C-alpha cells in the first residue's frame, strides 16, 4: 500500500474539474469519505448531500469488492456506469478511489483516458509504457 498525498490529489481533482464534461471529481477513502476535490462551482448537484454521501460509500464498497478477482482478471483500471442524467466513474488508486461524475453524453472511454493521463505515472502500464 502506498501513502497518497492528499494535497497532490486535491490539485489533480481541481485539474479534472477543468474538463467541460466533468461535474464532480473527488478522492474517496475506502469507506467513501471525501478526502479531496468536490463539485464544479455553479453546477446543480442532482443529489442531496446525504444522497451523495451514500453514493460515495456504495461506490467505495463496490471498488473494494472488485479487488477479489485481481489475481485472476487483473486490477480494475476504471469502472463506469451510464445513467440518464450523469455518468459515474471510479478509478482505484491504491486503497483509495477517484470518483468522477460527468455529463450523460460523455464518451466514457475518451474521458477515462484523459483522466488516467492526469492521474500520473502509476498508470503507465495502462498505456503499455
Amino acid at each position: 500500500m502506498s501513502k497518497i498525498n492528499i494535497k497532490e490529489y486535491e490539485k489533480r481533482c481541481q485539474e479534472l474539474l477543468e474538463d467541460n464534461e466533468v461535474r464532480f471529481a473527488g478522492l474517496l477513502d475506502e469507506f467513501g469519505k471525501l478526502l479531496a476535490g468536490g463539485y464544479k462551482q455553479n453546477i446543480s448537484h442532482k443529489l442531496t448531500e446525504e444522497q451523495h454521501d451514500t453514493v460515495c460509500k456504495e461506490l467505495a464498497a463496490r471498488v473494494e469488492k472488485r479487488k477479489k478477482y485481481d489475481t485472476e482478471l487483473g486490477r480494475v483500471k476504471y469502472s463506469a456506469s451510464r445513467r440518464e442524467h450523469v455518468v459515474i466513474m471510479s478509478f482505484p488508486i491504491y486503497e483509495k478511489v477517484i470518483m468522477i461524475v460527468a455529463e450523460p453524453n460523455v464518451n466514457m472511454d475518451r474521458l477515462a483516458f484523459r483522466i488516467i493521463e492526469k492521474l500520473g505515472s502509476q498508470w503507465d502500464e495502462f498505456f503499455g509504457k
Side-chain angles (χ1 to χ4, degrees):
M1 302 277 168
S2 178
K3 272 301 232 183
I4 294 220
N5 181 332
I6 301 298
K7 287 182 181 173
E8 176 186 337
Y9 277 89
E10 179 64 46
K11 182 179 170 229
R12 289 183 186 190
C13 286
Q14 294 310 314
E15 289 172 5
L16 294 170
L17 286 170
E18 291 172 10
D19 190 304
N20 289 336
E21 296 179 309
V22 174
R23 303 170 60 82
F24 173 91
L27 176 68
L28 309 178
D29 71 10
E30 58 273 29
F31 306 108
K33 180 182 174 206
L34 182 65
L35 303 174
Y39 277 99
K40 188 175 279 184
Q41 290 185 345
N42 303 321
I43 199 160
S44 70
H45 294 198
K46 308 261 187 216
L47 297 173
T48 66
E49 192 172 327
E50 184 178 327
Q51 289 171 322
H52 179 80
D53 289 346
T54 300
V55 167
C56 290
K57 288 175 186 167
E58 290 174 358
L59 181 127
R62 281 193 304 276
V63 167
E64 196 59 35
K65 285 179 186 174
R66 288 186 193 113
K67 291 179 182 177
K68 182 175 167 180
Y69 298 105
D70 283 0
T71 302
E72 296 83 4
L73 302 175
R75 291 178 297 143
V76 172
K77 297 301 182 175
Y78 75 94
S79 185
S81 68
R82 184 178 300 278
R83 294 179 164 268
E84 288 180 39
H85 303 297
V86 296
V87 166
I88 300 176
M89 305 174 84
S90 61
F91 297 81
I93 299 180
Y94 306 113
E95 70 280 2
K96 311 281 190 272
V97 62
I98 294 283
M99 177 179 161
I100 301 292
V101 178
E103 297 299 336
N105 58 345
V106 70
N107 179 313
M108 290 190 287
D109 287 321
R110 283 192 194 132
L111 178 59
F113 276 91
R114 290 197 308 266
I115 290 168
I116 288 168
E117 283 180 317
K118 290 178 182 175
L119 291 179
S121 61
Q122 67 173 328
W123 292 90
D124 283 350
E125 77 270 12
F126 192 82
F127 296 106
K129 293 181 185 173

